[in-house]
């Protein structure tokens, strides 16, 4: 396969002035491409381009912006097979998931194509009959966007689509492990007719790039999807310029399996969701709190289903879950398991690198029980194939455990009495809850967290507001 591997600045593909770096296939650990490192000069040009591109794009009528977004969505769907292969090659997920992710990206472009046409304002009568107030929503201005390595197509897509719909330009910096999908997406946007300078993509040293971009007066908004730690860094940088910010940060999602839940169905749903993308999903269920009434059956079924999973390269027919994205991520997962094991947790299945896979960042889907509160896996986002299961007798205590972390992204409740499940859901300190299912990330729904999981939303009718400023004019009429 050939990959787009240069910087996109002002509609041109450029070699960066820095030392290029390798992108590895996580299933082989072998390099698949060399990507550019942007220098200060490259970043300055990208910022100038975004300043010009922002003016050009804000002047395009929303109806025309919408048409272009639809065209981009259609091209994504047409090429989902090839583009999904790029996602799989750099990220490791199964090809079916890679292709699915490109389609999800297309869905976001379609959603925001509609939203672009519905940027309404309002008119408020003045204090006197000869005046009135007009309230409009204007593009916030050039955006610096930073995306993580777990969904290298869908997450840049939902930022780019929202920004374009609102009339904003962007400098996008994708994750170092997985920059190729975003570069391919930018090329697709350009081919579909996006004017030069509206979307610029830079790669390289994240700390340096973010300090230059966020520090520039050109940038009016920061949008990050990533870890809480990086969120705090970018917010601190942005504070100097009082930048608008959207922070889609990490989570540690509790799942409450209530006493009247069907333990077998709940365990099957849990396994299907938990090990998707090798557990590298911000809303991945990551703390299973299970009522003593159904605990034994739930755990037995969870282990049975987990042991059936086929772990292998994303491109191999039959693989159900791939490797972790990087050696760094696998080391972090190994540390969490060793910490828990060392403190007395039981590893019911997994707990080691995948046998028979000497290369690739594989780790076996793992179920942990007999956990105590001092074990790191209960408070640190595992972001890997770990399912820690805690038995509870008292629902109030379980809810306290669920809410006892700094993050608050997603939560899940399983129970037969749906009204009771909804009452429990209402007590979870999270931005999103799903009852009797794991479905949350949808273009038509506002995705976002509370507490240290951040603020702002992607999707829903809220999503576009993150890229708009309110202007109010009080004038004679
Ligand atoms: P990360 O925080 O390491 O990286 C995210 C982005 O920040 C990347 O572009 C990266 O290059 C950049 N970055 C890294 N170090 C930086 C630094 N020192 N200064 C400035 N920028 C820096 O995250 P990751 O490992 O790629 O992704 C996993 C994290 O993302 C998890 O915590 C996960 O929960 C979170 N996530 C959140 C959501 C959401 O919507 N809430 C979605 C997906 C992933």
């Amino acid at each position: 396969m050939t990959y787009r591997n240069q910087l996109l600045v002002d509609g041109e593909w450029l070699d960066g002035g820095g030392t290029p770096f390798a992108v590895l296939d996580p299933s082989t650990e072998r390099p698949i491409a060399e990507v550019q490192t942007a220098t200060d000069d490259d970043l300055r040009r990208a910022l100038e381009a975004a300043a010009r591109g922002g003016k050009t794009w804000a002047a395009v009528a929303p109806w025309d912006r919408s048409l272009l977004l639809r065209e981009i969505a259609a091209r994504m769907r047409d090429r989902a097979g090839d583009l999904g292969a790029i996602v799989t090659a750099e990220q490791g997920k199964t090809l079916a998931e890679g292709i699915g992710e490109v389609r999800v990206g297309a869905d976001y472009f379609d959603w925001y194509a509609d939203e672009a046409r519905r940027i309404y304002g309002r008119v408020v009568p003045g204090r006197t009959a000869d005046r009135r107030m007009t309230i409009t929503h204007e593009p916030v201005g050039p955006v610096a966007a930073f995306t993580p390595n777990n969904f290298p197509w869908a997450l840049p897509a939902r930022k780019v689509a929202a920004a374009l719909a609102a009339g904003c330009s962007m400098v996008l910096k994708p994750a170092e492990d997985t920059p190729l999908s975003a570069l391919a997406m930018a090329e697709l946007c350009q081919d579909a007719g996006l004017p030069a300078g509206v979307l610029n993509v830079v790669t390289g040293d994240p700390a340096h790039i973010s300090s230059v971009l966020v520090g520039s007066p050109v940038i009016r908004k920061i949008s990050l999807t990533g870890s809480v730690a990086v969120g705090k860094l970018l917010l601190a940088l942005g504070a100097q310029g009082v930048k608008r910010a959207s922070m889609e940060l990490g989570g540690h999602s509790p799942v409450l399996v209530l006493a009247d839940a069907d333990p077998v169905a709940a365990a099957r749903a849990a396994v299907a969701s938990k090990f998707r993308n090798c557990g590298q999903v911000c809303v991945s269920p990551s703390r299973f709190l299970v009522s003593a009434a159904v605990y034994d059956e739930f755990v037995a079924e969870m282990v049975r289903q987990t042991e059936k999973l086929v772990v292998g390269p994303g491109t191999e027919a039959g693989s159900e879950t791939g490797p972790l994205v990087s050696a760094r991520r696998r080391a972090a997962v190994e540390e969490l398991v060793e910490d828990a094991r060392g403190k007395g947790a039981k590893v019911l299945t997994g707990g080691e690198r995948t046998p028979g896979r000497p290369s690739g960042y594989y780790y076996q889907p793992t179920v942990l029980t007999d956990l105590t509160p001092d074990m790191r896996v209960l408070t640190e986002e595992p972001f890997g194939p770990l399912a820690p299961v805690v038995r509870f007798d008292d629902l109030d205590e379980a809810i306290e455990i669920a809410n006892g972390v700094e993050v608050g992204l997603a939560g899940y409740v399983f129970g037969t009495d749906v009204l009771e499940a909804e009452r429990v859901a209402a007590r979870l300190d999270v931005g999103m809850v799903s009852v009797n299912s794991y479905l949350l990330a949808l273009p038509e729904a506002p995705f976002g967290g509370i507490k240290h999981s951040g603020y702002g939303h992607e999707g829903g009718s809220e999503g576009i507001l993150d890229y708009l400023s309110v202007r109010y004019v009080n004038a004679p009429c």
Side-chain angles (χ1 to χ4, degrees), residues 6 8 10 26 43 69 87 116 123 126 142 265 278 331 339 346 350 367 394 402 407 433 452 473 476:
Q6 290 164 296
L8 177 61
D10 210 7
L43 297 172
L69 286 165
V87 174
V123 176
C278 202
D339 171 75
K346 278 195 189 142
V367 178
D394 182 273
V407 287
V433 193
H452 286 207
V473 178

PDB file of all heavy atoms in Angstrom, residues 6 8 10 26 43 69 87 116 123 126 142 265 278 331 339 346 350 367 394 402 407 433 452 473 476:
ATOM      1  N   GLN A   6       3.041  13.261   3.741  1.00  0.00           N
ATOM      2  CA  GLN A   6       3.617  14.605   3.892  1.00  0.00           C
ATOM      3  C   GLN A   6       2.683  15.498   4.711  1.00  0.00           C
ATOM      4  O   GLN A   6       1.582  15.081   5.083  1.00  0.00           O
ATOM      5  CB  GLN A   6       3.831  15.217   2.514  1.00  0.00           C
ATOM      6  CG  GLN A   6       4.953  14.540   1.739  1.00  0.00           C
ATOM      7  CD  GLN A   6       4.864  14.910   0.290  1.00  0.00           C
ATOM      8  OE1 GLN A   6       3.898  14.575  -0.390  1.00  0.00           O
ATOM      9  NE2 GLN A   6       5.867  15.624  -0.187  1.00  0.00           N
ATOM     10  N   LEU A   8       0.159  18.610   4.992  1.00  0.00           N
ATOM     11  CA  LEU A   8      -0.732  19.338   4.092  1.00  0.00           C
ATOM     12  C   LEU A   8      -0.832  20.777   4.594  1.00  0.00           C
ATOM     13  O   LEU A   8      -1.377  21.035   5.677  1.00  0.00           O
ATOM     14  CB  LEU A   8      -2.127  18.706   4.051  1.00  0.00           C
ATOM     15  CG  LEU A   8      -3.142  19.465   3.174  1.00  0.00           C
ATOM     16  CD1 LEU A   8      -2.698  19.531   1.709  1.00  0.00           C
ATOM     17  CD2 LEU A   8      -4.522  18.819   3.259  1.00  0.00           C
ATOM     18  N   ASP A  10      -1.786  24.669   3.232  1.00  0.00           N
ATOM     19  CA  ASP A  10      -2.297  25.559   2.193  1.00  0.00           C
ATOM     20  C   ASP A  10      -2.545  24.823   0.877  1.00  0.00           C
ATOM     21  O   ASP A  10      -2.220  25.334  -0.200  1.00  0.00           O
ATOM     22  CB  ASP A  10      -1.305  26.719   1.974  1.00  0.00           C
ATOM     23  CG  ASP A  10      -2.040  27.973   1.530  1.00  0.00           C
ATOM     24  OD1 ASP A  10      -3.286  27.979   1.522  1.00  0.00           O
ATOM     25  OD2 ASP A  10      -1.352  28.955   1.198  1.00  0.00           O
ATOM     26  N   PRO A  26       1.062  -2.401  14.022  1.00  0.00           N
ATOM     27  CA  PRO A  26       1.095  -3.004  15.362  1.00  0.00           C
ATOM     28  C   PRO A  26       1.004  -4.532  15.342  1.00  0.00           C
ATOM     29  O   PRO A  26       1.332  -5.165  16.338  1.00  0.00           O
ATOM     30  CB  PRO A  26      -0.140  -2.431  16.063  1.00  0.00           C
ATOM     31  CG  PRO A  26      -0.720  -1.434  15.161  1.00  0.00           C
ATOM     32  CD  PRO A  26      -0.127  -1.584  13.804  1.00  0.00           C
ATOM     33  N   LEU A  43       5.045  25.116  10.688  1.00  0.00           N
ATOM     34  CA  LEU A  43       3.866  25.430  11.505  1.00  0.00           C
ATOM     35  C   LEU A  43       3.412  26.870  11.264  1.00  0.00           C
ATOM     36  O   LEU A  43       2.210  27.152  11.207  1.00  0.00           O
ATOM     37  CB  LEU A  43       4.175  25.197  12.992  1.00  0.00           C
ATOM     38  CG  LEU A  43       4.497  23.739  13.348  1.00  0.00           C
ATOM     39  CD1 LEU A  43       4.985  23.628  14.791  1.00  0.00           C
ATOM     40  CD2 LEU A  43       3.283  22.841  13.132  1.00  0.00           C
ATOM     41  N   LEU A  69     -19.745  18.848   2.231  1.00  0.00           N
ATOM     42  CA  LEU A  69     -19.674  17.815   3.266  1.00  0.00           C
ATOM     43  C   LEU A  69     -20.331  16.520   2.783  1.00  0.00           C
ATOM     44  O   LEU A  69     -19.826  15.422   3.011  1.00  0.00           O
ATOM     45  CB  LEU A  69     -20.349  18.308   4.546  1.00  0.00           C
ATOM     46  CG  LEU A  69     -19.547  19.351   5.332  1.00  0.00           C
ATOM     47  CD1 LEU A  69     -20.416  20.061   6.360  1.00  0.00           C
ATOM     48  CD2 LEU A  69     -18.367  18.738   6.030  1.00  0.00           C
ATOM     49  N   VAL A  87      -6.624   2.312   8.054  1.00  0.00           N
ATOM     50  CA  VAL A  87      -6.910   2.337   9.498  1.00  0.00           C
ATOM     51  C   VAL A  87      -6.343   1.072  10.149  1.00  0.00           C
ATOM     52  O   VAL A  87      -5.649   1.126  11.173  1.00  0.00           O
ATOM     53  CB  VAL A  87      -8.440   2.439   9.747  1.00  0.00           C
ATOM     54  CG1 VAL A  87      -8.751   2.328  11.228  1.00  0.00           C
ATOM     55  CG2 VAL A  87      -9.004   3.741   9.171  1.00  0.00           C
ATOM     56  N   ALA A 116     -25.020  22.216   9.156  1.00  0.00           N
ATOM     57  CA  ALA A 116     -24.506  23.450   8.533  1.00  0.00           C
ATOM     58  C   ALA A 116     -25.654  24.334   8.063  1.00  0.00           C
ATOM     59  O   ALA A 116     -25.560  25.562   8.074  1.00  0.00           O
ATOM     60  CB  ALA A 116     -23.602  23.102   7.351  1.00  0.00           C
ATOM     61  N   VAL A 123     -34.271  36.843  16.953  1.00  0.00           N
ATOM     62  CA  VAL A 123     -34.470  38.283  17.102  1.00  0.00           C
ATOM     63  C   VAL A 123     -35.270  38.505  18.380  1.00  0.00           C
ATOM     64  O   VAL A 123     -36.278  37.836  18.602  1.00  0.00           O
ATOM     65  CB  VAL A 123     -35.231  38.859  15.883  1.00  0.00           C
ATOM     66  CG1 VAL A 123     -35.531  40.337  16.093  1.00  0.00           C
ATOM     67  CG2 VAL A 123     -34.417  38.666  14.621  1.00  0.00           C
ATOM     68  N   GLY A 126     -36.551  44.933  21.321  1.00  0.00           N
ATOM     69  CA  GLY A 126     -35.760  45.843  22.152  1.00  0.00           C
ATOM     70  C   GLY A 126     -36.547  46.381  23.337  1.00  0.00           C
ATOM     71  O   GLY A 126     -37.768  46.166  23.442  1.00  0.00           O
ATOM     72  N   PRO A 142     -10.119  29.896  13.328  1.00  0.00           N
ATOM     73  CA  PRO A 142      -9.245  28.737  13.086  1.00  0.00           C
ATOM     74  C   PRO A 142      -9.086  27.865  14.336  1.00  0.00           C
ATOM     75  O   PRO A 142      -8.916  28.365  15.438  1.00  0.00           O
ATOM     76  CB  PRO A 142      -7.923  29.380  12.681  1.00  0.00           C
ATOM     77  CG  PRO A 142      -8.322  30.713  12.103  1.00  0.00           C
ATOM     78  CD  PRO A 142      -9.488  31.172  12.934  1.00  0.00           C
ATOM     79  N   ALA A 265     -26.944 -12.991  29.141  1.00  0.00           N
ATOM     80  CA  ALA A 265     -27.048 -11.957  28.092  1.00  0.00           C
ATOM     81  C   ALA A 265     -26.133 -10.785  28.435  1.00  0.00           C
ATOM     82  O   ALA A 265     -25.447 -10.238  27.556  1.00  0.00           O
ATOM     83  CB  ALA A 265     -28.493 -11.485  27.968  1.00  0.00           C
ATOM     84  N   CYS A 278      -9.592  -4.042  20.843  1.00  0.00           N
ATOM     85  CA  CYS A 278      -8.672  -4.479  21.905  1.00  0.00           C
ATOM     86  C   CYS A 278      -8.828  -3.619  23.169  1.00  0.00           C
ATOM     87  O   CYS A 278      -7.855  -3.358  23.878  1.00  0.00           O
ATOM     88  CB  CYS A 278      -7.236  -4.443  21.375  1.00  0.00           C
ATOM     89  SG  CYS A 278      -6.142  -5.516  22.304  1.00  0.00           S
ATOM     90  N   ALA A 331       2.748  -2.211  27.360  1.00  0.00           N
ATOM     91  CA  ALA A 331       3.480  -2.170  28.634  1.00  0.00           C
ATOM     92  C   ALA A 331       2.577  -1.617  29.738  1.00  0.00           C
ATOM     93  O   ALA A 331       2.595  -2.108  30.878  1.00  0.00           O
ATOM     94  CB  ALA A 331       4.735  -1.319  28.481  1.00  0.00           C
ATOM     95  N   ASP A 339       0.296  -5.339  38.724  1.00  0.00           N
ATOM     96  CA  ASP A 339      -0.059  -4.666  39.986  1.00  0.00           C
ATOM     97  C   ASP A 339      -1.215  -5.408  40.666  1.00  0.00           C
ATOM     98  O   ASP A 339      -1.148  -5.716  41.864  1.00  0.00           O
ATOM     99  CB  ASP A 339      -0.460  -3.210  39.679  1.00  0.00           C
ATOM    100  CG  ASP A 339      -1.047  -2.501  40.890  1.00  0.00           C
ATOM    101  OD1 ASP A 339      -0.264  -2.136  41.783  1.00  0.00           O
ATOM    102  OD2 ASP A 339      -2.288  -2.346  40.953  1.00  0.00           O
ATOM    103  N   LYS A 346      -7.357 -12.385  41.142  1.00  0.00           N
ATOM    104  CA  LYS A 346      -7.323 -13.649  40.388  1.00  0.00           C
ATOM    105  C   LYS A 346      -7.443 -13.334  38.904  1.00  0.00           C
ATOM    106  O   LYS A 346      -8.284 -12.517  38.502  1.00  0.00           O
ATOM    107  CB  LYS A 346      -8.512 -14.516  40.778  1.00  0.00           C
ATOM    108  CG  LYS A 346      -8.287 -15.296  42.050  1.00  0.00           C
ATOM    109  CD  LYS A 346      -9.346 -16.388  42.156  1.00  0.00           C
ATOM    110  CE  LYS A 346      -9.251 -17.004  43.535  1.00  0.00           C
ATOM    111  NZ  LYS A 346     -10.561 -17.339  44.087  1.00  0.00           N
ATOM    112  N   GLY A 350      -6.553 -15.123  30.391  1.00  0.00           N
ATOM    113  CA  GLY A 350      -5.651 -14.088  29.862  1.00  0.00           C
ATOM    114  C   GLY A 350      -4.522 -13.813  30.836  1.00  0.00           C
ATOM    115  O   GLY A 350      -3.943 -14.723  31.419  1.00  0.00           O
ATOM    116  N   VAL A 367      -9.766 -11.479  32.110  1.00  0.00           N
ATOM    117  CA  VAL A 367     -10.820 -11.237  33.117  1.00  0.00           C
ATOM    118  C   VAL A 367     -10.181 -11.329  34.493  1.00  0.00           C
ATOM    119  O   VAL A 367      -9.507 -12.315  34.816  1.00  0.00           O
ATOM    120  CB  VAL A 367     -11.965 -12.270  32.981  1.00  0.00           C
ATOM    121  CG1 VAL A 367     -13.027 -12.037  34.058  1.00  0.00           C
ATOM    122  CG2 VAL A 367     -12.595 -12.203  31.584  1.00  0.00           C
ATOM    123  N   ASP A 394     -24.484  -4.461  48.072  1.00  0.00           N
ATOM    124  CA  ASP A 394     -25.278  -3.280  48.365  1.00  0.00           C
ATOM    125  C   ASP A 394     -25.196  -2.310  47.173  1.00  0.00           C
ATOM    126  O   ASP A 394     -24.107  -1.869  46.792  1.00  0.00           O
ATOM    127  CB  ASP A 394     -24.687  -2.631  49.638  1.00  0.00           C
ATOM    128  CG  ASP A 394     -25.480  -1.422  50.037  1.00  0.00           C
ATOM    129  OD1 ASP A 394     -25.183  -0.311  49.528  1.00  0.00           O
ATOM    130  OD2 ASP A 394     -26.407  -1.582  50.827  1.00  0.00           O
ATOM    131  N   ALA A 402     -18.734   3.221  41.589  1.00  0.00           N
ATOM    132  CA  ALA A 402     -18.839   3.680  40.192  1.00  0.00           C
ATOM    133  C   ALA A 402     -18.459   5.153  40.081  1.00  0.00           C
ATOM    134  O   ALA A 402     -17.765   5.570  39.149  1.00  0.00           O
ATOM    135  CB  ALA A 402     -20.260   3.455  39.677  1.00  0.00           C
ATOM    136  N   VAL A 407     -12.754  10.672  36.681  1.00  0.00           N
ATOM    137  CA  VAL A 407     -13.342  10.833  35.345  1.00  0.00           C
ATOM    138  C   VAL A 407     -14.834  10.520  35.369  1.00  0.00           C
ATOM    139  O   VAL A 407     -15.323   9.867  36.294  1.00  0.00           O
ATOM    140  CB  VAL A 407     -12.621   9.924  34.322  1.00  0.00           C
ATOM    141  CG1 VAL A 407     -11.251  10.467  33.997  1.00  0.00           C
ATOM    142  CG2 VAL A 407     -12.545   8.490  34.820  1.00  0.00           C
ATOM    143  N   VAL A 433     -24.994   7.615  29.489  1.00  0.00           N
ATOM    144  CA  VAL A 433     -25.320   6.290  30.046  1.00  0.00           C
ATOM    145  C   VAL A 433     -26.120   5.502  29.019  1.00  0.00           C
ATOM    146  O   VAL A 433     -26.981   6.054  28.337  1.00  0.00           O
ATOM    147  CB  VAL A 433     -26.198   6.363  31.318  1.00  0.00           C
ATOM    148  CG1 VAL A 433     -26.241   5.008  32.020  1.00  0.00           C
ATOM    149  CG2 VAL A 433     -25.740   7.428  32.262  1.00  0.00           C
ATOM    150  N   HIS A 452     -13.212  15.039  35.120  1.00  0.00           N
ATOM    151  CA  HIS A 452     -11.951  15.126  34.370  1.00  0.00           C
ATOM    152  C   HIS A 452     -12.055  14.547  32.953  1.00  0.00           C
ATOM    153  O   HIS A 452     -11.080  14.583  32.208  1.00  0.00           O
ATOM    154  CB  HIS A 452     -10.842  14.417  35.142  1.00  0.00           C
ATOM    155  CG  HIS A 452     -10.371  15.186  36.341  1.00  0.00           C
ATOM    156  ND1 HIS A 452      -9.109  15.061  36.860  1.00  0.00           N
ATOM    157  CD2 HIS A 452     -10.984  16.107  37.109  1.00  0.00           C
ATOM    158  CE1 HIS A 452      -8.976  15.849  37.905  1.00  0.00           C
ATOM    159  NE2 HIS A 452     -10.103  16.498  38.088  1.00  0.00           N
ATOM    160  N   VAL A 473     -26.269  41.809  18.546  1.00  0.00           N
ATOM    161  CA  VAL A 473     -26.254  43.209  18.088  1.00  0.00           C
ATOM    162  C   VAL A 473     -27.539  43.890  18.558  1.00  0.00           C
ATOM    163  O   VAL A 473     -28.640  43.380  18.307  1.00  0.00           O
ATOM    164  CB  VAL A 473     -26.148  43.282  16.548  1.00  0.00           C
ATOM    165  CG1 VAL A 473     -26.191  44.740  16.074  1.00  0.00           C
ATOM    166  CG2 VAL A 473     -24.877  42.608  16.066  1.00  0.00           C
ATOM    167  N   PRO A 476     -31.056  49.988  16.075  1.00  0.00           N
ATOM    168  CA  PRO A 476     -32.371  50.557  15.732  1.00  0.00           C
ATOM    169  C   PRO A 476     -33.062  49.698  14.682  1.00  0.00           C
ATOM    170  O   PRO A 476     -32.400  49.026  13.890  1.00  0.00           O
ATOM    171  CB  PRO A 476     -32.031  51.934  15.138  1.00  0.00           C
ATOM    172  CG  PRO A 476     -30.604  52.186  15.469  1.00  0.00           C
ATOM    173  CD  PRO A 476     -29.952  50.875  15.704  1.00  0.00           C
TER     174      PRO A 476
END
